[in-house]
Amino acid sequence: MQTTVTLRDVARAAKVSVSTASRALAGGGLTSKSTEARLQRIAAELGYRPNTLARGLKTRSTRLVGLVVHNLTNASFRVLAEVVQRRLRAEGYQALLCITADDPEQEAETIETLADQRVDGLIICPTGHNGALLASLDASGTPVTCVVRRDETVELETVLAADPEGAYAGTRHLLELGHRRIGLIVGRQETTSGRERLSGYRRALEEAGIAFDPTLVHAGRYEPETGLAGCRQLLDRDDRPTALFAANHESALGVLRGLAERNIALPDDISLLCYEDVPGFAWQRPAISVVDSGANAMAELAADRLLQRLRPNAAPSAAGEYRIGARLIQRQSVRPVAH
Amino acid sequence: MQTTVTLRDVARAAKVSVSTASRALAGGGLTSKSTEARLQRIAAELGYRPNTLARGLKTRSTRLVGLVVHNLTNASFRVLAEVVQRRLRAEGYQALLCITADDPEQEAETIETLADQRVDGLIICPTGHNGALLASLDASGTPVTCVVRRDETVELETVLAADPEGAYAGTRHLLELGHRRIGLIVGRQETTSGRERLSGYRRALEEAGIAFDPTLVHAGRYEPETGLAGCRQLLDRDDRPTALFAANHESALGVLRGLAERNIALPDDISLLCYEDVPGFAWQRPAISVVDSGANAMAELAADRLLQRLRPNAAPSAAGEYRIGARLIQRQSVRPVAH
DNA sequence: CTGTTAGCGCGTTCAG
DNA sequence: CTGAACGCGCTAACAG
């Protein structure tokens, strides 16, 4: 029933004008110390809470930040959501979480809704089909930071994993252990990450003097089904690969199932390396070796960059690109090739 | 640069008053068909987008719903976030995602912030220490629906898993396969779910005429570490259990590691049943049998209930409690006890 | 240092 | 059916 107490009520109770109350509670030292303290006290007693909407209408700032991801199943997005949420909150912002299912239409709708809500900024993993929309948002004063994927149609501040280097490092690790036929299960080639992970793999191979064999590569969506299909296809070959590199943690699940189907043991019968780390990999048996793509660091940096541009006197739009280094974590699913 | 176009601009362009424009765009048939169509067109041409803040200030409704969970790592919360977000959006609401880390202080702060944002409703997995806050919110017209956990200090609409029945069904499944010593790794007894899962386990045992042995129970936080510790403790016994029941998917990870440490094979050397399903369990080797606690259904129902109460003429506050049935999913980590 | 005045953009009376 | 006027709650000019 709690009739919301407004600034006017506080002012009246303190016998001052509304604006004095406003200034006192803002605490910028624009009022005498005594009235400031007094109003703080009265406001607290009355249980006054400022109305965010009214304030936002006036100041044109909602302290709301849109966070747009494809889903929450993927470990990188999950980490992104948790970290960004935490960092924003520490700076007095709230995250508006939206999920697009990697669907351009839903993404477009989401972006417009967020704009309507007058969010102060936007952190988004773009589908790549709404670049214009994002760019106009950014240009009109709502900073946009892209993360994980880049929207290639337009120039926006972007935080990415060092995918070429990560895939290169992983592949190289396998090569150094003597593997020569390395199956790669990778993302769709329409996506930045898909292409870059493939290119890193390829470069490592070529540097090692091994011809790139496209039939060792299976590209598809980042889903278990892709891993399963790829695994089956690769295992059906006469010259079965001695190692598999799954370029995403979800497809790795499918690979595990594919291996289990045929009773192929890890790491004795085949080696498995996975791009992206998830807690399950460390805890399972055998523990899966991974190239950690640095989701945490990406999230931190994305939040940092956006917050930076949200500060009072920030450069309007710095379309820089940032890369987060990948890191090899050796566990038990990879071993030197048998002779 | 996009100077935001306001209702006034639309009205001016159409040579009508602001209020006519407002009515025409609302489309409630309060204007002539012709002006309605004309204004719709002009608004579209000008790229008019209503200002959510101004509208909310006036209508006292933001179409924002707070969604408060402990984290996004736990599968139930993840599903909750995804499902609730989707259902809300379908009804024109946006979700404000907040993470409390199961910390009462952060929870209190979060609830207040959400109230400040004038959210229309709240779906929360409560810590149980801020019942008064939640109740006053609910009483003052912002419906609150609790989910997964109940705040026992207060009467609020709550959607829970049928934990007693689920744990009972799981335990019974193991009993029917001949297991007599069943180790239980369960949540803290301060939480509803922890207590209820233990009680279900206990009831199944007693119905089967087996004395409850507290030393077979290891309670702790829902974390891999708990599972690992519990697993070690249970395996150290002289009369080692023939089956383990991990009452949460995260502690199950720890159990898997604990088994691996000692080279105890699933399901040959011991059986493992897990409460809560995650995709990884179905895909891994051997696939883990689970009692699915119905996170999806819980999320759907919680969203349903809240949306119901958000409708124009809804009952102010129905403090009902809803239970979602659990379901046993047999996979490959459980087998009959060896003789 | 404080009070008065004027909007922010919209929905909604109250007259015509 | 339409227009004029008011106010949601707050901050920011401009005076005093």
Side-chain angles (χ1 to χ4, degrees), chain A residues 91-109:
Chain A
E91 305 259 355
Y93 288 89
Q94 286 281 121
L96 256 170
L97 176 73
C98 303
I99 299 173
T100 60
D102 200 4
D103 169 21
E105 262 184 66
Q106 283 190 55
E107 182 182 47
E109 191 196 322

Side-chain angles (χ1 to χ4, degrees), chain B residues 14-15 42 67 74 77 116 118 121 133 158 171 194 199 211 271 273 298:
Chain B
K15 299 194 195 308
I42 296 185
L67 173 58
N74 177 273
F77 293 143
D116 290 351
R118 300 296 191 273
L133 218 49
T158 304
T171 309
S199 78
S271 286
L273 181 62
M298 267 198 306

Side-chain angles (χ1 to χ4, degrees), chain A residues 1-4 49, chain B residues 60 62 64-68 96 98 107-124 130-146 151 154-157 306 309-310 315-317:
Chain A
M1 305 306 97
Q2 192 145 312
T3 47
T4 45
R49 308 242 77 198
Chain B
R60 310 180 155 288
T62 54
L64 248 36
V65 167
L67 173 58
V68 184
L96 258 170
C98 303
E107 182 182 47
E109 192 197 322
T110 298
I111 296 172
E112 309 234 89
T113 307
L114 254 19
D116 290 351
Q117 303 277 6
R118 300 296 191 273
V119 292
D120 287 351
L122 192 54
I123 293 182
I124 183 172
N130 288 301
L133 218 49
L134 292 172
S136 91
L137 240 190
D138 192 83
S140 69
T142 304
V144 174
T145 297
C146 295
D151 189 313
V154 76
E155 294 282 323
L156 288 168
E157 184 173 67
L306 189 73
R309 292 202 287 156
L310 249 27
S317 169

